[in-house]
Amino acid sequence: MSLEFKKNQVHFKDMVGVEDAEELLEWLQKTPAAKVDFSACTHLHPANLQVLMAASPSIMVWPADAAFSAWLQSALDQHEDPY
Amino acid sequence: MTPLLEQFLSEARDFLEGIGEKLMQLEDAPGDAELMTALFRMVHTLKGNSGLFDFPEMTRVLHAGEDLMDAVRHEQVEYSQDLADRLLDAMDFVGMLCDEVEAKGSIGAHHAADSARLAESLRRLIASVDAAAAVVAVVASALPNALTETGIVVAEADLPPLVDIPESIRMDAYRQACGGVDLHWLDYTPAADCFFQGDDPFFQARGTPGFLWGSITVRQPWPALAELDAYRCVLEFHLLTTAPREQLDEYYRYVPDQVRMIPVTPLFLALPQGNRNGGPVAYENFVDKALGLLGANQLEDLVLAASNLIELSSLELWLSSALRWLLLVMELEPENRNAFAKIIESLRRQSPPKWTELLPKVTGGNPPAKTELHLSQHSLTPEEAEVMTKMLDVQREILNLPIQENWQLGRIKAVAATLTGCLMASGDVAARAGLEAATAMALEEAASLPLLAWLDQFQQTRSTASVESLVNQADVGVPVPRNLSEIQSDLSADAVRVSDVDAEAKFGRRAEDAGIGPKSLKVDQQKIDRLMNLIGEMVVSKNALPYLAGRAEDVFGVRDLSREIKAQYTVINRIAEEMQDAIMQVRMMPVSFVFQRFPRLVRDTSRKLGKEVNLVLVGEDTEADKNVIEALGDPLVHIVRNSLDHGFEQPDERRAVGKPVAGTLTIRASQESDRVVIEIQDDGKGIDPDIVKRKAYQKGIIDEATLERISDQDAINLIFAAGLSTVDVISDLSGRGVGMDVVRTAVEKVNGAISLESEIGKGTRIRLSLPLSMAVTHVMLIESAGQTFGIPMDSVLETVRVPCASISSIKQSLVTVLRGNIVPLKSINALLAIAAPPQANSDHELAVLVVRCGNEAVGLLVDDFRETVDIILKPMTGVLADIPVYAGSALMGDGSVLMVLNIKELLP
Amino acid sequence: MKRILIVDDAATVRLYHRQILEAAGYKVYEAVNGIEALEKSLQQPFDLYVVDINMPKLDGYGFLRELRSQDIYQAPAIMVSTEAQTSDHQQAFAAGANAYLVKPVKPEQLLIQVKLMIGEARG
């Protein structure tokens, strides 16, 4: 299982495939203050990414891989102003 | 591969060959100035050619070679063996790079170290003489896709949002781009339903080659979560990459319509970013001071001033970002002063430099449209105006040259023509009358003065109108990205200050040397092959005419027509044969093509082995078909290596037996009727038949009985048997199991023969005999089981009809006796796995085609013989190519396809 | 159409210049050394010459001097060479060149020179 739901947190593990998007969407719908942990994530299918972008949960930990993290931040990190 | 690159590679190979040859010749005549000049020119030209491409590794080595040869030519450096060795090494390296370019289209960066090492090794030879030259670092000018790089984005609105990219990454990209890589901004918009097709566009985007930076955006506002369709892709991916366009096209080849690639002009990346609350007022002084320094060309002071200011400013300020860019651009594009001015100007307003204003209007893209533009406006772009100013200055300098001889008036005419051109181009038609008058006067007086006066006046009016200070130009957006920046230096006025030059003195440099290459036409081999195929088809189609004549007479009963067709056939036949002959001639090449590699091979190899060998080449202009010549190459190299390795004795050994210390290797080519014969003869130790015999016996190649009675000549021939090597020591040159059998196989493949004579102590002679041309094959047609096959005539010994009664069987094999010899018989049907017995004729005779198989005669049982024909054999293609029993196929006159059998493969 | 004669012994360089000039609509002719260039110039007028220096038989300087002494239309000439030294510029101008460009010539650079000297390809 690439997605682990713990209370209001979801942990992304390794490669998160297209099939997980449905469940992620359902979970986000019923979890208003959702938090995301990408620390162990190496890739996620863009279907999941779309769901996250639409729901804009807060991101607790970005992925370890810098390039991957930069991609995700461009899509999900709406708050921090670089300057 | 572009035609330009193809041309380059083809020419480069010629030069490399020529350079090797000239070096060899120089070895014998080190003082030959003519050779030296020719050699220099080849290296020089090759270097110039390589500079057209982005091959810094190649250019660097060639440049060093050119400088070295120039020093040798001017007798600053003495020609030596060591020098020749280093140059040959360098040329080998260049040749290797050419191969890589041909195979991959580019040169791998990993060659940089070797390139630097070789260049250094060459330069070290000059260094003692000219210390300064050694320090000169070669900056190969990067000119990536100079010809294709035409479409540059101009409209501001079309520019990708480069400012989204963090500054550090943009700076890195800019550095790389100035180093010669291409930059592309890529927008990737996957299809909405792509998830259903199993695509993962994010994965695709992440894997983009040359990836520097990427971001993801959404095409439309997000709906409420409850209405979100997770499986409808609405994402867009944007990224910056350093991969070449072709590689990107390749990577996104399945979704080309979903990808937009925009080449990024490097300077466009120079967009300052950050907190604008730094107080622009504080910088006003700097802007004015910086522009002043720039105007006064005090660039070092400018760098210093900018660096100082950066240290005083917080890193996050928009202003310090702009200064960082200024320093970087000054470092990487030191000629691009307009760019400096733009960045400095931007500090004043704290608004990004408008780089689009710097784009050249002339991009070579679309000439007709461009022409219209200029026709209607008839004015020059700012950069053109600038070039024109330089050009006028140059003409002034030319006019200032003394006129001592009449021909120099031609120079004045050319200046007048150039000035006229400038007037036309700038639309200043009104000034033409004055120019014409001044020109006429100048020619009449045979003096430049009238034209100089006109030029003075013209430039004065022009400068008030258009020439403004550099700083002001920057404001109106004058010009010149890096590509055009060189013009300034090229045409700079001080480069042409020659007023008191004694022009006469320079004219000693007349072309003194003879030309290099013969006057010939280079034709792609494929074109010749196509001609060859066409004439093949022509020969075959022409053969349909006799069939037609026969049918006209037999089927339709029109005899006259039949006769006319036959008459026409004779004419066409003659022309076709001549044409075939002519095309064969085109394919003929001299054996020197193969021979030319031997001087080097013999030299290097013998040196490595510590032997002394003189090479004598005879009959180099003997010609044969290209394929034959090419097939000769490898076997010959093998034989020569063998001879050097095992044939020749060490010098002291030779001295001991009273032979000349230096051995002689003779390679002789000659033509004997329709075959070309190559002899390779050495005066080495020869082959000892006893050793060969013994080894052959030990390896089980011959049995004991044979060992006893075999003749010396036959024993020596055993050397061609597979798996036999005559030497016990295996050297690094010939490798394990020196296979002369490999040589024999290669020669036989092109219908050649090989023989060997050797005398102990005296030497060895190997003789290769090959057909002059392989293009036309003479075959005999046979029929079996209702099919027609061709058998090459070379292998046919005779055709006989043998009564069934004369065929007996020994140990389940069929044999017959022909003139006292027992001939084994094989059914061709059986060999081809056709389940049909041989058909006898009405006289109960079987048709036997006796063929040669190695040294034996074998009878093939066929159903019937037919005529012999000349065919153009085409190699088998597709699945049939893997079936070795077929030598190839040919089209027949009636349109059918003839399969030609390969006897050697057919018989087990 | 404006006619340009490229004089260079390197086929690659000739092709390179030809591609640039033809793409801009000029009609291009080639000669592989000074002698051939001179022969061609006497047979037909050109609007511009693009001349290499180092060539067999007759080099660029020699060609230009011979050309300038002929009683024909004296079209402008651009000298193109890998040598970037001032003395080479001087020698080129003394021989009859009207501009000097250092190889490899950038396409835009060449085209601007050509345009100024003889105008656009058409028109």
Side-chain angles (χ1 to χ4, degrees), chain B residues 251-512:
Chain B
Y251 185 76
Y252 284 100
R253 66 193 179 282
Y254 296 118
V255 288
D257 50 326
Q258 299 167 13
V259 175
R260 192 168 74 123
M261 287 177 219
I262 307 171
V264 176
T265 308
L267 256 188
F268 285 19
L269 293 165
L271 299 170
Q273 226 177 13
N275 188 344
R276 286 193 168 83
N277 298 323
V281 186
Y283 283 81
E284 274 297 323
N285 287 340
F286 174 77
V287 171
D288 291 337
K289 184 179 161 199
L291 290 177
L293 289 173
L294 183 58
N297 206 18
Q298 291 171 308
L299 297 185
E300 280 176 23
D301 294 340
L302 177 54
V303 169
L304 200 65
S307 311
N308 286 339
L309 196 57
I310 287 185
E311 275 182 29
L312 297 175
S313 317
S314 159
L315 281 180
E316 294 81 40
L317 289 184
W318 196 95
L319 293 162
S320 33
S321 170
L323 289 172
R324 284 194 293 273
W325 275 108
L326 175 63
L327 290 177
L328 188 66
V329 173
M330 287 184 76
E331 176 195 336
L332 296 177
E333 296 187 57
E335 302 288 324
N336 200 344
R337 302 159 51 117
N338 296 303
F340 312 160
K342 277 242 168 264
I343 299 179
I344 297 171
E345 281 288 315
S346 76
L347 279 168
R348 203 192 296 273
R349 290 162 283 129
Q350 291 211 35
S351 63
K354 286 211 179 344
W355 294 120
T356 44
E357 295 172 2
L358 278 195
L359 275 175
K361 300 298 181 283
V362 183
T363 49
N366 197 344
K370 196 181 76 194
T371 306
E372 275 174 27
L373 181 77
H374 284 292
L375 277 182
S376 56
Q377 297 186 347
H378 234 329
S379 66
L380 298 179
T381 62
E383 70 267 28
E384 285 169 347
E386 206 175 318
V387 174
M388 177 164 153
T389 307
K390 308 285 183 200
M391 194 177 278
L392 295 179
D393 286 344
V394 169
Q395 305 315 308
R396 171 191 306 283
E397 298 302 332
I398 296 173
L399 290 172
N400 272 327
L401 291 169
I403 293 191
Q404 290 161 340
E405 287 189 35
N406 250 353
W407 71 261
Q408 289 161 341
L409 289 180
R411 221 162 51 191
I412 294 189
K413 290 182 195 160
V415 167
T418 306
L419 294 174
T420 310
C422 288
L423 291 187
M424 301 295 284
S426 61
D428 206 342
V429 189
R432 263 192 86 179
L435 173 61
E436 275 169 23
T439 308
M441 206 186 295
L443 291 175
E444 198 173 312
E445 294 173 13
S448 321
L449 223 62
L451 266 177
L452 274 172
W454 176 87
L455 191 56
D456 279 345
Q457 192 200 340
F458 178 71
Q459 277 189 299
Q460 219 159 25
T461 51
R462 193 167 169 266
S463 66
T464 50
S466 65
V467 178
E468 291 167 306
S469 79
L470 189 68
V471 175
N472 289 340
Q473 280 179 12
D475 216 8
V476 284
V478 182
V480 194
R482 60 198 181 119
N483 278 351
L484 293 171
S485 55
E486 267 98 329
I487 296 174
Q488 300 173 347
S489 52
D490 288 341
L491 290 176
S492 73
D494 26 11
V496 291
R497 217 164 287 289
V498 283
S499 45
D500 56 351
V501 161
D502 180 1
E504 257 326 279
K506 310 263 180 191
F507 294 168
R509 196 169 158 182
R510 281 246 153 183
E512 56 290 313

Side-chain angles (χ1 to χ4, degrees), chain B residues 3-4 7-8 11 15 40-41 44-45 47-49 51-53 66 73 141-143 146-147 360 362-365 367-368 370-371 374-375 379-380 383-384 387-388 391 394-395 398 401 407-411 413-415 417-418 420-423 425 482-484 486-487 489-491 494-498 501 503 506-507 509-516 519, chain C residues 8-17 19-20 22-25 36 39 52-59 61-62 64-78 81-123:
Chain B
L4 186 65
Q7 174 69 54
F8 167 73
E11 204 180 14
F15 277 126
F40 166 77
R41 177 172 319 107
H44 166 86
T45 310
K47 182 209 81 179
N49 287 355
L52 293 175
F53 304 90
E66 180 196 17
R73 188 169 68 131
S141 81
L143 187 60
L147 292 174
V362 183
T363 49
K370 196 181 76 194
T371 306
H374 284 292
L375 277 182
S379 66
L380 298 179
E383 70 267 28
E384 285 169 347
V387 174
M388 177 164 153
M391 194 177 278
V394 169
Q395 305 315 308
I398 296 173
L401 291 169
W407 71 261
Q408 289 161 341
L409 289 180
R411 221 162 51 191
K413 290 182 195 160
V415 167
T418 306
T420 310
C422 288
L423 291 187
R482 60 198 181 119
N483 278 351
L484 293 171
E486 267 98 329
I487 296 174
S489 52
D490 288 341
L491 290 176
D494 26 11
V496 291
R497 217 164 287 289
V498 283
V501 161
K506 310 263 180 191
F507 294 168
R509 196 169 158 182
R510 281 246 153 183
E512 56 290 313
D513 28 302
I516 301 175
K519 200 161 194 174
Chain C
D8 202 309
D9 59 331
T12 307
V13 175
R14 289 200 304 276
L15 179 61
Y16 175 72
H17 288 154
Q19 287 182 344
I20 296 171
E22 280 185 348
E36 194 188 325
E39 283 168 5
D52 180 34
I53 292 183
N54 203 333
M55 290 180 292
K57 291 192 181 156
L58 182 61
D59 66 9
Y61 300 127
L64 283 178
R65 278 192 295 274
E66 292 295 334
L67 177 76
R68 294 306 183 215
S69 64
Q70 303 299 322
D71 188 21
I72 54 171
Y73 170 67
Q74 293 296 341
I78 301 177
S81 171
T82 46
E83 309 302 327
Q85 285 168 21
T86 310
S87 61
D88 296 294
H89 293 223
Q90 292 170 353
Q91 208 173 340
F93 295 137
N98 297 92
Y100 192 104
L101 296 180
V102 177
K103 281 186 193 173
V105 179
K106 308 263 197 296
E108 307 90 330
Q109 192 185 353
L110 181 65
L111 287 177
I112 289 193
Q113 297 276 336
V114 172
K115 181 192 161 183
L116 286 172
M117 287 182 161
I118 60 172
E120 299 276 349
R122 299 176 193 83

Side-chain angles (χ1 to χ4, degrees), chain B residues 14-228:
Chain B
D14 289 353
F15 277 126
L16 288 173
E17 225 159 65
I19 291 167
E21 217 168 84
K22 289 274 180 298
L23 275 171
M24 291 294 132
Q25 295 172 7
L26 265 180
E27 211 144 86
D28 296 330
D32 191 329
E34 214 169 281
L35 267 179
M36 205 72 85
T37 309
L39 183 57
F40 166 77
R41 177 172 319 107
M42 285 196 236
V43 180
H44 166 86
T45 310
L46 185 52
K47 182 209 81 179
N49 287 355
S50 77
L52 293 175
F53 304 90
D54 187 18
F55 301 150
E57 293 82 6
M58 191 186 291
T59 310
R60 184 180 304 133
V61 170
L62 287 168
H63 197 156
E66 180 196 17
D67 288 349
L68 177 58
M69 283 319 297
D70 197 38
V72 173
R73 188 169 68 131
H74 291 111
E75 296 178 350
Q76 293 159 342
V77 171
E78 205 170 325
Y79 177 85
S80 68
Q81 197 83 58
D82 177 39
L83 183 147
D85 282 345
R86 291 194 201 185
L87 260 181
L88 284 173
D89 271 358
M91 294 309 134
D92 284 348
F93 176 71
V94 172
M96 192 259 299
L97 293 182
C98 286
D99 292 344
E100 184 162 333
V101 170
E102 175 144 49
K104 300 184 195 153
S106 65
I107 293 176
H110 59 280
H111 293 303
D114 279 340
S115 159
R117 185 180 52 75
L118 282 167
E120 171 59 22
S121 134
L122 293 174
R123 290 201 180 279
R124 214 170 293 143
L125 289 176
I126 325 174
S128 53
V129 188
D130 186 355
V135 191
V136 174
V138 182
V139 184
S141 81
L143 187 60
N145 303 329
L147 292 174
T148 54
E149 198 179 73
T150 47
I152 299 177
V153 197
V154 182
E156 193 99 17
D158 281 353
L159 284 181
L162 294 168
V163 72
D164 289 352
I165 309 173
E167 180 178 296
S168 58
I169 294 176
R170 266 184 291 125
M171 283 193 161
D172 177 38
Y174 175 70
R175 270 182 195 284
Q176 293 197 40
C178 286
V181 308
D182 294 343
L183 285 180
H184 282 96
W185 174 276
L186 211 135
D187 291 320
Y188 172 29
T189 314
D193 61 352
C194 70
F195 295 169
F196 293 103
Q197 334 222 323
D199 289 352
D200 181 342
F202 187 21
F203 194 78
Q204 172 92 4
R206 284 183 69 184
T208 304
F211 172 81
L212 278 183
W213 172 88
S215 73
I216 304 169
T217 57
V218 62
R219 269 177 255 173
Q220 61 210 49
W222 293 110
L225 274 193
E227 286 152 35
L228 180 71

Side-chain angles (χ1 to χ4, degrees), chain A residues 13-45:
Chain A
K13 295 265 168 71
D14 306 323
M15 307 267 285
V16 181
V18 64
E19 65 283 351
D20 291 321
E22 197 78 25
E23 192 184 0
L24 180 65
L25 179 57
E26 279 169 22
W27 182 80
L28 283 167
Q29 277 173 307
K30 61 190 185 203
T31 316
K35 292 179 173 181
V36 180
D37 182 338
F38 283 121
S39 56
C41 182
T42 54
H43 183 73
L44 80 167
H45 189 279

